[in-house]
Amino acid sequence: MSQQPDNSNLILDVNDVSKVFCRNLKRAMRYGLHDLGKELIGRGADRAEGKLRPGEFYSVRNASFKIEPGECVALIGPNGAGKSTMLKMINGLIKPDKGEIKIRGKIGALIELGTGFNPILSGRENIYINAAVLGMTKRDVDEVFDEIVDFAELHHVIDAPVKTYSSGMRIRLGFSVAANLRPQLLLIDEVLAVGDVGFRMKCFKHLRTLVASGVSIILVTHAVGMLQRVATRAVVFNRGRIVHDGDLDAGCAVYEEILGASERVRTERLQKESRDAEIAEVTVLDSKGNENTEFQTGDSLAVRIRLKSKKLIKNARVIVALNSPSVGVVASMSTAYQEVRFDVDPQLHPDGRVITLAFKDLQLLLGAYHFNISLFGPETTEFFHRRSGCGNFRIVGPPIDMYGMGIHGIMKIDHDWELE
């Protein structure tokens, strides 16, 4: 990795970067010694693409993206997607096995709770040590020291050993040090998802101030609902690869679709033996009756369900659960609840019985959604089939939360305000 000025306007340039790990500790140590030996004799070139040794896997593969001054970019993806590995490579904690990372300016990082703090030293001493690592002089730190302590709200313990701090106090000190030392690139991994609400709001306000002053920020979090407060762009990782780089709202929807796909793999239990009845097909339609997967808040949407049976099922029941991968069940609907009674008769409907569930003025907010659908007979114990993660669709607009001045969540609720 190189960290040097260049003539471009980029703060960060990640070019075709890959990182390989080994799951077996003994093999990992042996491979590490072998690779180190090759580097010492000048043969430590990039790893050949796709050539993995036994036990190895790609944590990050062929990742490329660029960040300009004043951008706040969210790295999102499921667990194990490669986000934190990429952040550590950018921060220089680990080396990429392939590709190049170019950085212009100094980095401030808050990657793991307490990282970089000496627990024996006081908060004051740790501030100066962290600043020295960034190349700042004591005079430079003296000028911003009060700002750091004021922001962290730790005046009463700043001279106490860090080991006596609570986890929330260490987060506050770590964030304050990283953000107030004015790096050109600030890396934050998950830490804003914890701590009290008041401090989180103060952090977001400070991050927006930094972005406005030209500081670039990379923010890693699973709490995508918070990202609209500060981020303007999303880079989505899945299985080590970048699958989206662009609009934040679209990136969040892609991330939730990935979570939904993972959930379908875990929950779908297709029976190999023949069924007496099944949910053969699920289709999502727009207001014109066309198949569609992208909608706006307030649009009409219909779910067409085709049921097939080998025998007559009288008084069949269908239960539909609307799900968000990041939240869970949003709502459920039942034919029996609305006293909709129907039969599934293979003689009358050889191509299957079709029923449609219609939603008018759907008030879901930005995100990805899917349905879990179950088919029952008239008795509670008479279960035939369940399809999980079907009928996938996305709400892609309009934007909902501009820096905390709008609304957020998964559902828009009609409401009125009154002043007394």
Side-chain angles (χ1 to χ4, degrees), residues 216-231:
S216 300
I217 298 173
I218 298 179
L219 182 64
V220 173
T221 183
H222 288 282
V224 295
M226 300 191 304
L227 293 177
Q228 285 89 355
R229 299 181 185 277
V230 62

Side-chain angles (χ1 to χ4, degrees), residues 200-220:
R200 288 207 303 270
M201 295 303 101
K202 189 161 88 168
C203 289
F204 286 124
K205 182 178 179 181
H206 188 70
L207 290 177
R208 292 197 296 271
T209 301
L210 291 177
V211 170
S213 69
V215 175
S216 300
I217 298 173
I218 298 179
L219 182 64
V220 173

Side-chain angles (χ1 to χ4, degrees), residues 351-365:
D351 294 328
R353 183 71 187 266
V354 176
I355 61 172
T356 301
L357 173 63
F359 300 92
K360 296 180 180 179
D361 191 23
L362 189 63
Q363 294 299 303
L364 295 175
L365 296 178

Side-chain angles (χ1 to χ4, degrees), residues 177-190:
V177 169
N180 285 287
L181 292 180
R182 301 291 177 179
Q184 276 72 49
L185 178 61
L186 179 60
L187 312 177
I188 303 175
D189 187 3
E190 290 293 356

Side-chain angles (χ1 to χ4, degrees), residues 25-163:
L25 178 59
K26 290 183 178 179
R27 281 179 174 170
M29 294 175 66
R30 187 166 69 248
Y31 295 159
L33 290 173
H34 179 265
D35 294 341
L36 180 60
K38 289 180 64 178
E39 286 194 22
L40 291 175
I41 62 174
R43 296 176 57 194
D46 286 345
R47 296 279 299 273
E49 176 64 23
K51 289 190 176 180
L52 296 178
R53 293 169 291 198
E56 289 187 328
F57 67 97
Y58 280 101
S59 178
V60 174
R61 188 168 189 180
N62 301 334
S64 297
F65 62 95
K66 306 176 190 297
I67 295 179
E68 297 182 354
E71 274 196 292
C72 182
V73 179
L75 299 190
I76 55 179
N79 289 326
K83 310 179 301 295
S84 295
T85 299
M86 175 55 71
L87 214 61
K88 290 176 181 178
M89 286 192 287
I90 294 171
N91 197 33
L93 298 178
I94 56 179
K95 269 184 69 174
D97 291 310
K98 175 177 174 288
E100 186 177 34
I101 300 175
K102 293 181 180 179
I103 302 166
R104 182 165 61 87
K106 63 183 180 181
I107 301 178
L110 194 54
I111 292 182
E112 292 180 359
L113 177 59
T115 297
F117 287 151
N118 187 322
I120 299 175
L121 300 181
S122 67
R124 181 188 301 273
E125 292 165 329
N126 273 289
I127 290 173
Y128 281 94
I129 290 173
N130 274 264
V133 171
L134 290 176
M136 298 182 67
T137 65
K138 183 178 183 299
R139 179 178 297 179
D140 294 333
V141 183
D142 289 340
E143 294 177 358
V144 296
F145 181 84
D146 289 338
E147 293 181 32
I148 293 173
V149 180
D150 288 344
F151 190 91
E153 302 172 1
L154 295 176
H155 284 281
H156 60 298
V157 293
I158 197 61
D159 291 309
V162 168
K163 67 179 180 181

Side-chain angles (χ1 to χ4, degrees), residues 205-278:
K205 182 178 179 181
H206 188 70
L207 290 177
R208 292 197 296 271
T209 301
L210 291 177
V211 170
S213 69
V215 175
S216 300
I217 298 173
I218 298 179
L219 182 64
V220 173
T221 183
H222 288 282
V224 295
M226 300 191 304
L227 293 177
Q228 285 89 355
R229 299 181 185 277
V230 62
T232 56
R233 173 181 153 207
V235 176
V236 184
F237 281 79
N238 186 33
R239 297 182 179 180
R241 293 184 181 272
I242 294 176
V243 295
H244 172 88
D245 182 0
D247 180 71
L248 176 65
D249 294 332
C252 291
V254 169
Y255 165 60
E256 292 195 334
E257 283 183 338
I258 293 170
L259 292 182
S262 299
E263 185 65 21
R264 289 194 296 275
V265 171
R266 288 192 295 268
T267 61
E268 187 71 19
R269 297 291 184 267
L270 292 174
Q271 302 172 4
K272 293 184 179 180
E273 67 273 13
S274 60
R275 303 185 189 93
D276 289 331
E278 66 175 356

